[in-house]
Amino acid sequence: MSGHLRLYRVADSASVLGATARGAAKSGLVRPLRPSATFRLTNGVRRWGTSPAVGFSLGSARHPDSIAVIDTDDDTLRAVSFVDIDHRCDTLALSLLDRGIGPGSQVGVLGRNSRGFLEAMVGVSRTGADVVFLNPASSADQISTIAYGQRLELILRDQEFADLVPTGIPSIAIDDKSGLPLLASLPNKGELPNLKRHSHHVILTSGTTSGDAKGASRSSIPLSAAAAILDAFPVHMNGTTLFAAPMFHSWGWMHHRLATLLDSTHVLVRHPEAERLLSLIDEHEVDTLVTTPVVLR
C-alpha cells in the first residue's frame, strides 16, 4: 500500500510541475530581465516573499512606467504607474510604522474597489500588520462585533462608511484628500523592515450579512500554485483586468494577486453596472473581467 501511495505522490508531483511549467510559459511569466530589474525584483521577493506585501513591487521592477491602476471613479488621480503606486505603498507603510502599526497589529479595511483600497491593502501588509477585510454590506453592529473580536487598532475606510466604524477605534478615509494622501505625506523616518513574519489577510465569510462572521486567513501563494492557476486561466503578462467583483472577497482578492504577479493593469469600478462594464471593456481594451454571477447574467 505504501508503494502505491509513493507512486501517487510522484504522479501528483509530476502533474503539478507540468502545470507550473505550462502556466509560466503560457502567461509569459518567465522572460529575460535587465540586471537592474532582476536585482529590484529579487529584493522585493526576498523582503516580502510571495505575500500580499510584494504587490506592485514586481511591476515597478519590470515595467515601472506602465499603468498599474486605473480608478474609473477617481477624478483626482485616475491612473498611476507601477513605480508611482509602489512608492505610495512604501510611504504609507512608513507612516503607519511611525504611528505604531506593525507586526502584531490588526488593521481593518472597509471600502469598495479603488486605488486607495489597493494602497491600503499593500501598504498595511508592508508593515507586517494583518489586514482584516470588512464587508460594506454589514451593519454597524456587525462591524463592531468583528472589529472588537479581531482587536482592530485602526480602520481604513471609504468616507461613506464612516458611520459604521465603532466608537473608540480610530479610522482614516482612503478616498479623501485628508485621508491616506495626508497620512503618507507626513514626516516619516527609517526603512521598511525585513519581516520575520509576513502579513496575513483575513477574509470574512458570508456571516457578515447574517449571523457571526468567521475569518479565513490568506498570506503567501507558492509560486508553483500560482503558475498552476495560470495554466487553468487564459491570462498573460501586461494584460488589463477589470475588477467588477469586490476585492474584500476571495474571488476578487485572488485575481488581484494574479494581476500583480503578471503586471496587469487594474481597472477599478465601485458600482459594477452591466452597461458601464461593457463600455469600460471597450475603452480600456480589457482582456480579463473579474465579476460575479449576478452581474454576468
Side-chain angles (χ1 to χ4, degrees):
M1 189 67 176
S2 60
H4 288 155
L5 287 175
R6 282 195 294 271
L7 286 174
Y8 285 136
R9 290 194 185 104
V10 169
D12 288 344
S13 297
S15 176
V16 170
L17 287 173
T20 299
R22 287 193 304 271
K26 285 164 54 178
S27 66
L29 182 61
V30 179
R31 59 177 58 177
L33 294 174
R34 302 183 313 276
S36 59
T38 300
F39 174 78
R40 293 183 60 200
L41 190 74
T42 303
N43 187 53
V45 174
R46 177 186 58 79
R47 173 172 280 172
W48 296 304
T50 57
S51 76
V54 76
F56 298 103
S57 69
L58 303 177
S60 181
R62 293 182 294 213
H63 309 284
D65 298 322
S66 296
I67 298 299
V69 176
I70 299 171
D71 188 333
T72 62
D73 294 301
D74 188 341
D75 296 328
T76 304
L77 188 59
R78 187 177 177 87
V80 292
S81 68
F82 281 101
V83 70
D84 285 342
I85 196 166
D86 189 42
H87 173 72
R88 293 169 69 89
C89 292
D90 273 354
T91 307
L92 173 60
L94 286 168
S95 298
L96 290 170
L97 286 165
D98 276 356
R99 288 153 187 80
I101 299 297
S105 299
Q106 308 283 326
V107 177
V109 177
L110 174 62
R112 306 187 192 277
N113 292 354
S114 68
R115 176 182 46 78
F117 185 98
L118 287 173
E119 290 176 5
M121 182 194 309
V122 177
V124 172
S125 299
R126 291 184 180 181
T127 69
D130 292 339
V131 180
V132 178
F133 293 104
L134 303 170
N135 191 332
S138 301
S139 68
D141 287 342
Q142 289 169 330
I143 294 288
S144 179
T145 298
I146 295 164
Y148 289 118
Q150 295 287 335
R151 294 175 297 176
L152 300 185
E153 298 175 28
L154 173 69
I155 294 178
L156 305 178
R157 43 80 185 168
D158 289 349
Q159 294 183 78
E160 65 177 299
F161 304 125
D163 291 342
L164 296 180
V165 176
T167 303
I169 298 180
S171 72
I172 300 172
I174 59 180
D175 58 346
D176 172 18
K177 290 182 180 179
S178 63
L180 289 188
L182 175 63
L183 179 66
S185 70
L186 295 174
N188 54 66
K189 57 180 181 295
E191 296 182 356
L192 291 174
N194 290 319
L195 301 176
K196 295 181 179 178
R197 174 192 177 276
H198 294 305
S199 171
H200 284 253
H201 284 192
V202 178
I203 298 175
L204 298 170
T205 65
S206 57
T208 50
T209 53
S210 62
D212 294 333
K214 296 179 177 60
S217 180
R218 305 283 187 268
S219 55
S220 299
I221 297 179
L223 290 177
S224 59
I229 293 171
L230 297 178
D231 183 40
F233 288 89
V235 292
H236 56 83
M237 289 291 293
N238 310 121
T240 302
T241 302
L242 172 56
F243 287 86
M247 285 182 284
F248 59 77
H249 277 164
S250 293
W251 185 241
W253 182 90
M254 182 193 76
H255 279 281
H256 156 68
R257 302 299 310 283
L258 285 179
T260 54
L261 180 67
L262 296 171
D263 302 345
S264 294
T265 299
H266 290 58
V267 180
L268 306 177
V269 58
R270 288 165 177 74
H271 302 283
E273 295 89 359
E275 290 296 331
R276 187 181 179 207
L277 293 180
L278 291 174
S279 176
L280 290 172
I281 288 170
D282 286 339
E283 179 183 352
H284 299 290
E285 300 181 351
V286 169
D287 50 51
T288 302
L289 171 65
V290 183
T291 188
T292 61
V294 171
V295 175
L296 193 59
R297 282 196 298 272

